[in-house]
Amino acid sequence: MSKYFGYAGTYTRKTSQGVYRFTLDTEKEQLFAAEIAAVLGNPTYITFDEKQDYLYAVAQEDDMGGVNAFRVDKTSGDLKPVNGQLVEGNPPCHVEAAENKVVTGNYHKGEIGLHFTNEDGELDQGNFTKHEGNGPHERQEKPHVHFTGFTPDKKFIIAADLGTDQLVTYKVEDSSLKEVSTFRTQPGSGPRHLVFHPNKQVAYLLTELSTEVIVLDYNKETGEFTEKQSILAKPADFKETNDASAIHITSDGKFLYTGNRGHNSIASFKVDENSGELTFLAFTPSGGEWPRDFDFDPTEKYLVASNQHTGNIVLFRRDAKTGELTETDQVIDVPEVVCVKFLS
């Protein structure tokens, strides 16, 4: 197989209509123009369930926000609406799915949404857990939950709160969330997104405000995190505003990448096979402005970066031995693009 469907979540403030679908041909090293897959308001983040039978997208309709479910036709790439759950207020900024659960993180409300799904992918009304607190940075006037996801064994749910400088571990009890542990980052760092190493024992937390990757040991019994390394993910001499964005690790656990909005680059790191600690490798220009996200194709020979302000998706070759990224001439337009995911 050499052709893969990719999906892009967007803002719909200007010309975008919702979730877009594009195609990558790895044999020809070619991206094919994006087309609308689902008309939806501000589906800025999208995710699949574990079998990729369903796509879940954050959504907004008038003064309501929440999450919508779609059935995925893996042959055509079409998305068929299942249902949506929206409540009053701003929409979430992040969504992840595992087993029969979908969790959302709401930046504006500072809360986590927990939805259960049935065998048809349909979402229930959900339960919501609100954070409290603030931080010293001007953007930390209140809680800002920016990431919600699952531990590798699905035993816990993790929330990264940019506003309170906290990484909170929860377990599900009686269809709601119970806090079991809290890791606190340096004041003003602004934790944004988290990924786990394939060995399931180490996690990597990207901070948006200080642009660092914090390497964490993870205790699967207690859900606790312990810091073992912190490394800068932007040039030390870059003094302009930089907001770190996405963080992803390769399936072999050898390389990790992060996005820089402002410096407009992707930072690459080599992962130590024993400790999981990071060594910086290079900054690669993202091929546009404000790289909000990126993703590996299913072969991991390529990486696509989504540049929000220039409204484009750019294809990079990835060297599996060195981790090096090389920009190709393949660029497609996707208006107000934020998030990208591949159907494998």
Side-chain angles (χ1 to χ4, degrees), residues 118-175:
N118 64 18
E119 59 184 10
D120 297 318
E122 189 174 332
L123 296 152
D124 74 357
Q125 290 184 332
N127 251 290
F128 298 90
T129 302
K130 193 167 180 61
H131 281 188
E132 301 292 340
N134 54 44
H137 193 278
E138 62 183 3
R139 288 182 52 198
Q140 295 180 309
E141 79 290 356
K142 64 178 183 178
H144 290 302
V145 178
H146 218 311
F147 167 90
T148 46
F150 299 84
T151 54
D153 59 6
K154 315 302 185 294
K155 182 179 177 180
F156 300 109
I157 288 171
I158 310 297
D161 194 320
L162 182 149
T164 63
D165 292 318
Q166 293 180 344
L167 187 66
V168 187
T169 304
Y170 292 94
K171 65 178 178 180
V172 178
E173 280 193 359
D174 301 323
S175 301

Side-chain angles (χ1 to χ4, degrees), residues 50-69:
E50 291 165 296
K51 295 181 179 179
Q52 295 195 320
D53 292 329
Y54 300 97
L55 180 144
Y56 296 96
V58 303
Q60 183 174 18
E61 185 176 331
D62 298 323
D63 60 351
M64 307 281 282
V67 59
N68 279 43

Side-chain angles (χ1 to χ4, degrees), residues 129-291:
T129 302
K130 193 167 180 61
H131 281 188
E132 301 292 340
N134 54 44
H137 193 278
E138 62 183 3
R139 288 182 52 198
Q140 295 180 309
E141 79 290 356
K142 64 178 183 178
H144 290 302
V145 178
H146 218 311
F147 167 90
T148 46
F150 299 84
T151 54
D153 59 6
K154 315 302 185 294
K155 182 179 177 180
F156 300 109
I157 288 171
I158 310 297
D161 194 320
L162 182 149
T164 63
D165 292 318
Q166 293 180 344
L167 187 66
V168 187
T169 304
Y170 292 94
K171 65 178 178 180
V172 178
E173 280 193 359
D174 301 323
S175 301
S176 61
L177 297 179
K178 179 182 178 182
E179 183 178 334
V180 297
S181 178
T182 298
F183 172 81
R184 290 173 173 81
T185 65
Q186 289 295 317
S189 56
R192 178 182 171 93
H193 276 197
L194 179 88
V195 292
F196 279 88
H197 191 283
N199 69 14
K200 306 176 183 180
Q201 299 171 0
V202 177
Y204 303 89
L205 177 63
L206 180 65
T207 62
E208 177 172 333
L209 303 179
S210 62
T211 314
E212 297 167 282
V213 181
I214 304 173
V215 184
L216 302 165
D217 279 324
Y218 168 63
N219 186 320
K220 66 179 182 180
E221 303 301 326
T222 65
E224 293 178 295
F225 292 94
T226 306
E227 181 175 343
K228 64 191 302 180
Q229 183 193 20
S230 179
I231 185 170
L232 197 63
K234 67 176 180 180
D237 59 354
F238 187 77
K239 303 305 180 185
E240 298 172 40
T241 298
N242 187 80
D243 294 340
S245 57
I247 182 168
H248 297 289
I249 190 169
T250 54
S251 60
D252 61 10
K254 293 182 178 180
F255 298 98
L256 181 136
Y257 302 84
T258 68
N260 284 310
R261 296 171 294 171
H263 189 248
N264 295 330
S265 65
I266 298 170
S268 53
F269 301 86
K270 182 174 177 57
V271 182
D272 185 274
E273 61 181 353
N274 296 313
S275 69
E277 294 187 6
L278 302 177
T279 301
F280 171 76
L281 293 176
F283 294 110
T284 304
S286 66
E289 294 181 13
W290 216 246

